[in-house]
């Protein structure tokens, strides 16, 4: 496989994560920008790569686009236009934190903190200074369970609507 990708024996391909690689709250399965690096360099920057449940926040241009990374076998390095938040899982479930970051209140706060006339930017300090209220972990789990139940119900209802629309198309009126 490495030979097909044009890699030398001591090289690996890494993905450079940019804002456009975030879709519907997740990292896209195909990241456009890739570079080849020697394995020695990769070993030196290992701690910079995304890890499971890392939360991604766009900080330049499009402010406050939020996503969560669910680990796979890719090596993904965030670009400078992205901040990475590592949730303290003893206090907050990463999925709950993503939900809070996507709330209208926090989104408005992020946008209000952006500076720059042509290309808005959010500073790391401004992001770190935002207080995000979260319930206790047991309460978070209850909320999350209800959330996924509702999501599941919506998916089922959407499927039913599609089926009904298909039936409706059969009528030639």
């Amino acid at each position: 496989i490495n030979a097909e990708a044009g890699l030398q024996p001591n090289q690996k391909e890494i993905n450079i994560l940019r804002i456009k690689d975030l879709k519907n709250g997740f990292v896209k399965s195909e990241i456009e920008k890739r570079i080849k690096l020697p394995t020695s360099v990769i070993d030196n920057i290992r701690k910079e790569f995304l890890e499971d449940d890392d939360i991604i926040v766009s900080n330049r241009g499009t402010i406050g686009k939020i996503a969560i990374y669910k680990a796979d076998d890719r090596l993904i390095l965030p670009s400078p236009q992205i901040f990475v938040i590592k949730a303290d899982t003893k206090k907050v479930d990463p999925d709950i934190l993503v939900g809070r970051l996507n709330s209208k209140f926090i989104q408005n706060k992020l946008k209000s903190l952006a500076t720059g006339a042509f290309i808005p930017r959010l500073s790391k300090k401004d992001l770190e200074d935002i207080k995000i209220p979260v319930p206790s972990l047991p309460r978070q789990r209850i909320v999350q369970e209800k959330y996924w139940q509702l999501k599941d119900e919506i998916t089922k209802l959407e499927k039913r609507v599609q089926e009904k629309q298909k039936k409706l198309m059969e009528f030639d009126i």
Side-chain angles (χ1 to χ4, degrees):
I1 294 173
N2 283 356
E4 288 175 23
L7 295 174
Q8 302 300 317
N10 64 342
Q11 283 186 325
K12 273 191 178 176
E13 188 171 67
I14 66 164
N15 298 273
I16 305 298
L17 186 69
R18 298 178 294 175
I19 296 170
K20 66 183 186 173
D21 298 315
L22 309 177
K23 186 173 185 180
N24 298 328
F26 294 95
V27 175
K28 286 182 184 177
S29 57
E30 276 299 311
I31 294 176
E32 210 175 286
K33 187 167 175 84
R34 294 187 196 98
I35 61 171
K36 296 167 186 144
L37 287 178
T39 49
S40 58
V41 171
I42 290 171
D43 291 341
N44 287 336
I45 60 171
R46 178 99 20 217
K47 66 179 182 359
E48 303 299 323
F49 291 107
L50 290 184
E51 296 174 332
D52 193 38
D53 284 336
D54 277 353
I55 299 166
I56 300 149
V57 181
S58 62
N59 64 42
R60 196 171 300 151
T62 304
I63 300 295
K65 192 168 186 180
I66 310 292
I68 190 165
Y69 174 64
K70 298 298 181 180
D72 51 38
D73 60 352
R74 298 176 290 174
L75 290 173
I76 302 176
L77 198 60
S79 70
Q81 58 189 207
I82 289 170
F83 290 138
V84 176
I85 297 172
K86 296 189 180 291
D88 180 350
T89 54
K90 291 181 184 95
K91 295 179 183 175
V92 65
D93 181 289
D95 293 311
I96 295 284
L97 186 53
V98 165
R100 293 294 165 113
L101 287 165
N102 273 318
S103 72
K104 191 172 261 186
F105 176 76
I106 298 296
Q107 283 293 310
N108 288 340
K109 183 87 175 149
L110 291 171
K111 286 169 181 61
S112 74
L113 292 169
T115 58
F118 297 106
I119 300 173
R121 282 184 297 286
L122 179 67
S123 79
K124 192 166 195 152
K125 181 171 179 1
D126 282 342
L127 179 62
E128 290 169 347
D129 287 348
I130 295 175
K131 302 283 184 247
I132 301 171
V134 289
S136 67
L137 263 179
R139 179 81 183 120
Q140 289 175 47
R141 290 190 182 104
I142 292 167
V143 168
Q144 195 172 29
E145 193 174 312
K146 286 181 181 178
Y147 172 85
W148 287 112
Q149 284 174 345
L150 283 172
K151 281 289 254 191
D152 209 31
E153 284 178 43
I154 289 169
T155 302
K156 287 175 184 171
L157 287 171
E158 286 172 339
K159 191 174 183 178
R160 284 189 59 203
V161 166
Q162 286 175 346
E163 288 168 2
K164 300 288 183 195
Q165 285 176 330
K166 221 182 231 181
K167 277 192 172 183
L168 197 60
M169 296 300 285
E170 293 172 9
F171 288 98
D172 191 21
I173 298 177

